[in-house]
Amino acid sequence: MSESLYTAPSLSATSAPPKEKMELSLSRATPILVLVLLSSLASCFAANVTYDRRSLIIDGQRKLFISASIHYPRSVPGMWPGLVQTAKDGGANTIESYVFWNGHEPSQGNYYFGDRYDLVKFVKIIQNAGMYMILRIGPFVAAEWSYGGVPIWLHYVPGTVFRTNNEPFKYHMQKFVTFIVNLMKKEKLFASQGGPIILAQVENEYGYNEQYYGKGAKPYIMWAANMAVSQNTGVPWIMCQQWDAPEYIIDTCNGFYCDQYAPNSPNKPKMWTENWPGWFKTFGARDPHRPPEDVAFSVARFFQKGGCLQNYYMYHGGTNFGRTNGGPFITTSYDYEAPIDEYGLPRFPKWGHLKELHKSIMLCEHALLNSEPTTLSLGPNAEADVYTSSGFCVAFLANIDDKEDKTVQFRNMSYHLPAWSVSILPDCKNVVFNSAKVRSQSSVVDMVPESLIPSASSLDGDLKVLKWEIFTEKPGLWGKEDFSLNGFVDHLNTTKYTTDYLWYTTSINVAENENCLKGGSRPSLLVESKGHGLHAFVNQKLQGSGYGNGTNVPFNFSAPISLKAGKNDIAILSVTVGIQNAGPHYEWVPAGLTNVKIKGLNKGILDISGYKWTYKIGLEGEQLGAPYGMKSVNWVSTTEPPKNQPLTWYKVPRPTFLVQAIWKCLGYLGGGRRRSNKSHLVKAENVNCLQLCWRRLPSHRLRNLEAGYR
C-alpha cells in the first residue's frame, strides 16, 4: 500500500480539498511549482515542498529540521543578523516567527512594516543566512503578546466575536492573511518562489479552547483551513494543537514533551512547533527554570520516536517593548530562559549543550528519515530505537526512569544511561551524545545591579553635572472630565487600551461628629477590582496601592485612610499591566473597579459604589508627551530627583547614567536589566517607589529596561 504524498492544493475558502490531489504515490511526487528566476545578479530556484508520513520533502529529498523561534518585533533590526547567525551556529537550520497583526495594522486599513515590524527584511536576513523559515501567520498568535496579536479596534467593529464562525471576524482575518501572503509573494519569499518559507501556519492552539465556542467552532476551523490553502502559497499549511485539523493541514504538537504525539492522520509527518526551553515571566512570580539536560532529553526522545521537525519556542525571546506585553502581568523581559538570552548572547550551558545535540542528531538524518524504527526493550524503563537504511545504522538508547541510572546491554555491548537521559549512537555502536552529560561551557553571563558614579571622563562637552527634570501630576481629574455616571465602567472598554490608566473619582461628606475625627480608629477604604492594579488617593494624598498577579488577576484592596470634616475627594487610579492574550472569549475579560466601600464610620460601612463617579482617561503626562520628553510638559529641573513622590515623571538627558538614576529612585526593587542608546524616561507611581511598575518607554529608543518588582 503506497503512502500518500502532499502537494499544496488550490482551494477556495469554502471548498473541500479535491481527494485526487491528496493521493499521490511516493514514486511520483508532483511539484507544487518549479520556477527559475534569472537576473543579472543571481539565480534563484524554486523548491518543491511536499510531505508524507515520515517527513517534509524538499526537491525530492527528505530533510530533518531543527528550528529556532525568533520574533522580529521582540528585538531591534540591528540584532537580527546576529541572532539568526547565532541560531545557525547553534545547529538550527530553520527560523520560526509569528506575524503580529496588531503591530502591522494598528488601525483599521492602515498598515505598518517599519523598524521592528519590517517583516520582509527579517525574512530576507534568514534567506541570506541560507536557512529555512516557518511563518506562523495566525493571525491570532497568543504568544504572551498584547491581545494575542489581534488589533484592539477589531473588538469594536459591530457584531464581532473573535475566533468563531463570525462573519466580521472572518472577513478581517482573511483580509490580513491575504495581505501578508501577497506581501511574501511579491518579494518571492515562499519556497515555491525560491524563498526560505517552507511552512505557513493558520490559527494557533485553537484545540485548547474549541469546546468553549460551541457550534461555531468546527465551521470556523474548517473555514480557516480552507481559507489558508486557497492562498496558493505553494507550501504546506500547519495548525498547532488542532487535533481535528482536516486532512490537507498538518496538525502539530506544542509542549514540554512531544515524543508520544501522533498526528491525526497516518499521512502526516510528526512535527513539534513549540518546545519550551524555559518559560515567560510574570511580575512578582519566581523566575522559571528548565535545565538544559531536560530540554536535550525531550528533543532526543522526539527524534527517537519518529519526529522530523522540532522548533524551540523560544530560541531567543527578546523584549516586550512599549506596551506589547500580554498576560496580564507579563514582564517587559521575554527572555524565556532561551538558548540565546534577551541581549543576543548565547546562554551557557544551554546553547552549547543543544548545539552538541543538534550536531549528533544531524549525523543520523538519513537513517532516521528513510527507515522505520525497531524498538527493543533494554529492561524496566529503558529502551532502544534502531533505524537501519542503505548501510546506515542509528540507535537511540533511552532511560526514562527519572531517578535511577541504568547499565544496559545493546548489541553485546554495555552502556551506562544516567537517569532521564538519551544516548545517541549514529553508528549503532559509539555514543556521541548523552542528554544528561553537559560538556559545554558552564559559565553564565548575568546582569547584576551596580552602583555607577558619574566621572569626568564620561561627560561630554561642558556637561559637568547630571541634570534631572521632573513632572509631577495632580491626583484625580486633570483638564476636563471625560464623562460621569452613577456606578462603575469597565476599564478596558473605556480606555480601549489606548492607555494603561483610568481615573475613577468621587467625593463624600464627613460629619464633624465622626469618631475618626476625634482620635478614634481610622476608617478603611475597601475596593474590589477585576484588575490589574490601583493607587488610591484621598484629598490628593496617596493612601495605598493594590494589585493582582499573573495567577489571580482580580484582587481586593484595603487600607486605612485619613478623612476630614466636610467634603473629601476620593480618586482611584486604575492601572492595567499588560492585557489578556489568550483563553476562551478572552476579548471580553473585564478590568477595573467593581465595588468601593468605606468601613469604620459611625454608621458602619458606607457603600459608595453607586455614587456619581467622574472619569478621566489616561494621565496628563501622557497627553502632553512626557513619555517622549516633549517640551510641552512643564518640566522642573533638579540635580537631586525626589524620592517618595507619587505620580512623578523623571527625565534625564544622558543615557550613561540611566542605570544609576533608576536605582536611585527604584533601587530597592532587586534585580534588573537595562540597555539604552538615547534619552529615556521612567515613571514612578508609588510613594514607596513602585510596588506595581509601569513603563512607557519608546520602543525605538530603548533596547530594554526592566524595573519590575521581583
Side-chain angles (χ1 to χ4, degrees):
M1 181 177 178
S2 65
E3 298 169 272
S4 66
L5 179 72
Y6 168 88
T7 61
S10 173
L11 302 175
S12 70
T14 56
S15 65
K19 183 177 180 181
E20 61 270 21
K21 291 193 176 184
M22 304 300 298
E23 298 178 347
L24 302 177
S25 168
L26 272 172
S27 62
R28 56 182 187 89
T30 302
I32 296 174
L33 175 65
V34 177
L35 174 65
V36 181
L37 303 174
L38 299 175
S39 69
S40 59
L41 297 177
S43 296
C44 184
F45 294 90
N48 174 23
V49 184
T50 60
Y51 66 79
D52 63 12
R53 64 176 298 274
R54 194 62 193 89
S55 70
L56 283 181
I57 302 169
I58 298 184
D59 288 337
Q61 292 188 340
R62 298 184 182 279
K63 288 190 177 291
L64 185 150
F65 296 91
I66 295 172
S67 177
S69 286
I70 300 173
H71 293 166
Y72 54 98
R74 282 176 160 146
S75 57
V76 294
M79 294 179 67
W80 293 345
L83 293 173
V84 171
Q85 187 60 48
T86 304
K88 185 176 182 178
D89 292 344
N93 57 11
T94 306
I95 300 295
E96 175 273 344
S97 181
Y98 283 124
V99 176
F100 297 86
W101 186 2
N102 54 12
H104 291 300
E105 193 178 1
S107 59
Q108 187 173 348
N110 296 310
Y111 296 96
Y112 178 72
F113 289 87
D115 193 40
R116 292 181 297 106
Y117 293 96
D118 193 341
L119 175 59
V120 169
K121 179 177 181 178
F122 182 71
V123 178
K124 287 185 176 180
I125 287 172
I126 295 168
Q127 182 177 31
N128 292 337
M131 301 179 76
Y132 298 108
M133 186 183 189
I134 302 169
L135 190 67
R136 302 175 75 183
I137 300 175
F140 168 80
V141 299
E144 293 75 56
W145 183 270
S146 174
Y147 228 42
V150 180
I152 290 286
W153 55 259
L154 184 54
H155 180 53
Y156 300 99
V157 171
T160 300
V161 180
F162 290 3
R163 306 181 74 200
T164 189
N165 193 30
N166 173 268
E167 293 306 318
F169 183 76
K170 291 192 298 181
Y171 169 80
H172 289 284
M173 173 177 168
Q174 181 168 5
K175 181 180 177 184
F176 180 73
V177 170
T178 303
F179 189 97
I180 294 298
V181 167
N182 287 343
L183 178 63
M184 297 299 100
K185 286 181 178 179
K186 178 183 176 182
E187 299 293 334
K188 303 187 186 307
L189 294 175
F190 286 106
S192 55
Q193 303 171 290
I197 302 171
I198 56 171
L199 290 172
Q201 179 178 304
V202 67
E203 248 296 334
N204 188 66
E205 297 181 334
Y206 192 69
Y208 288 138
N209 300 306
E210 189 168 344
Q211 61 179 313
Y212 300 103
Y213 288 92
K215 295 181 179 179
K218 187 67 174 180
Y220 165 69
I221 211 65
M222 291 301 296
W223 168 86
N226 291 332
M227 180 272 293
V229 176
S230 74
Q231 301 291 329
N232 296 317
T233 60
V235 301
W237 285 82
I238 62 175
M239 285 181 168
C240 64
Q241 296 298 97
Q242 192 60 50
W243 305 287
D244 59 352
E247 181 69 21
Y248 46 94
I249 300 287
I250 304 172
D251 56 300
T252 66
C253 183
N254 292 353
F256 288 110
Y257 309 98
C258 282
D259 51 288
Q260 298 303 310
Y261 179 79
N264 66 4
S265 166
N267 301 321
K268 300 178 184 180
K270 182 174 179 175
M271 296 183 181
W272 191 0
T273 38
E274 290 191 17
N275 180 2
W276 306 318
W279 200 244
F280 58 86
K281 299 179 183 181
T282 57
F283 285 115
R286 302 171 73 178
D287 285 355
H289 174 63
R290 188 181 185 193
E293 297 92 332
D294 186 59
V295 181
F297 172 83
S298 70
V299 176
R301 281 288 286 174
F302 178 71
F303 287 109
Q304 175 182 354
K305 292 300 180 180
C308 68
L309 181 152
Q310 187 266 168
N311 174 66
Y312 294 102
Y313 184 101
M314 301 292 297
Y315 198 81
H316 165 72
T319 303
N320 292 316
F321 292 103
R323 297 170 61 238
T324 58
N325 56 311
F329 295 102
I330 303 297
T331 61
T332 308
S333 170
Y334 198 66
D335 180 84
Y336 223 88
E337 206 196 17
I340 303 176
D341 72 14
E342 184 174 4
Y343 309 97
L345 304 174
R347 170 174 274 114
F348 289 99
K350 187 171 285 185
W351 182 87
H353 190 49
L354 295 177
K355 177 180 179 178
E356 292 184 18
L357 168 65
H358 302 154
K359 181 178 179 181
S360 302
I361 289 174
M362 295 308 293
L363 291 173
C364 308
E365 180 180 26
H366 178 81
L368 280 174
L369 300 182
N370 289 278
S371 62
E372 296 296 329
T374 299
T375 302
L376 306 173
S377 174
L378 302 178
N381 293 319
E383 64 180 7
D385 284 279
V386 183
Y387 295 80
T388 57
S389 174
S390 304
F392 291 91
C393 183
V394 166
F396 289 74
L397 312 184
N399 176 10
I400 57 176
D401 189 319
D402 62 359
K403 296 181 176 62
E404 301 293 333
D405 291 4
K406 296 183 184 297
T407 299
V408 301
Q409 297 296 314
F410 174 70
R411 293 199 170 192
N412 300 317
M413 293 184 66
S414 181
Y415 296 90
H416 175 72
L417 298 177
W420 200 249
S421 75
V422 177
S423 286
I424 299 175
L425 291 64
D427 58 359
C428 284
K429 182 177 181 180
N430 296 295
V431 176
V432 297
F433 181 87
N434 179 272
S435 60
K437 297 178 180 179
V438 179
R439 298 177 294 185
S440 172
Q441 170 187 336
S442 59
S443 61
V444 297
V445 176
D446 197 12
M447 301 292 181
V448 297
E450 184 60 68
S451 178
L452 302 179
I453 306 299
S455 63
S457 62
S458 66
L459 302 176
D460 297 330
D462 296 328
L463 184 62
K464 300 300 181 184
V465 180
L466 182 63
K467 295 181 180 179
W468 284 87
E469 293 179 275
I470 64 169
F471 171 67
T472 301
E473 302 219 9
K474 172 187 173 183
L477 294 181
W478 53 270
K480 184 180 179 181
E481 67 178 66
D482 286 315
F483 60 92
S484 296
L485 56 78
N486 293 335
F488 297 126
V489 296
D490 179 76
H491 181 130
L492 290 171
N493 277 335
T494 303
T495 65
K496 295 181 172 57
Y497 206 53
T498 57
T499 172
D500 283 314
Y501 300 99
L502 178 63
W503 283 106
Y504 294 70
T505 66
T506 192
S507 62
I508 63 170
N509 286 305
V510 175
E512 294 182 356
N513 64 349
E514 287 288 343
N515 291 333
C516 63
L517 303 180
K518 300 178 180 180
S521 298
R522 295 169 63 190
S524 295
L525 181 66
L526 311 177
V527 182
E528 295 178 10
S529 173
K530 292 292 186 181
H532 308 157
L534 65 82
H535 305 293
F537 297 81
V538 176
N539 298 324
Q540 307 291 306
K541 295 186 180 298
L542 181 67
Q543 307 296 304
S545 301
Y547 43 87
N549 57 53
T551 303
N552 297 298
V553 176
F555 66 96
N556 295 333
F557 165 80
S558 175
I561 58 175
S562 297
L563 298 175
K564 63 182 181 179
K567 182 182 179 183
N568 289 260
D569 294 321
I570 297 174
I572 301 176
L573 181 61
S574 179
V575 184
T576 51
V577 185
I579 191 173
Q580 199 78 21
N581 61 261
H585 305 288
Y586 74 93
E587 73 271 28
W588 302 99
V589 174
L593 310 187
T594 58
N595 197 291
V596 178
K597 297 176 181 178
I598 297 175
K599 180 181 178 181
L601 298 176
N602 290 353
K603 294 184 178 180
I605 296 178
L606 176 64
D607 188 342
I608 60 174
S609 304
Y611 277 34
K612 180 181 179 181
W613 290 82
T614 301
Y615 294 88
K616 189 65 182 178
I617 298 171
L619 298 173
E620 183 179 15
E622 289 180 302
Q623 186 180 68
L624 295 174
Y628 303 93
M630 296 302 226
K631 294 181 180 179
S632 55
V633 178
N634 185 24
W635 297 104
V636 177
S637 298
T638 178
T639 56
E640 185 68 24
K643 301 177 182 179
N644 299 331
Q645 183 167 301
L647 294 175
T648 296
W649 297 84
Y650 296 85
K651 176 185 176 185
V652 61
R654 301 299 300 172
T656 306
F657 311 116
L658 178 61
V659 175
Q660 180 191 2
I662 296 305
W663 285 98
K664 198 171 209 176
C665 177
L666 308 175
Y668 86 97
L669 291 174
R673 305 175 177 87
R674 70 270 332 141
R675 179 181 300 177
S676 59
N677 56 15
K678 290 186 180 179
S679 72
H680 314 295
L681 303 130
V682 68
K683 174 179 167 297
E685 302 171 328
N686 193 305
V687 68
N688 293 320
C689 266
L690 228 57
Q691 288 181 310
L692 181 68
C693 177
W694 176 86
R695 297 145 321 283
R696 183 64 171 91
L697 301 165
S699 59
H700 66 285
R701 297 183 178 181
L702 186 63
R703 173 65 186 100
N704 180 50
L705 181 144
E706 182 182 319
Y709 74 91
R710 294 172 182 272

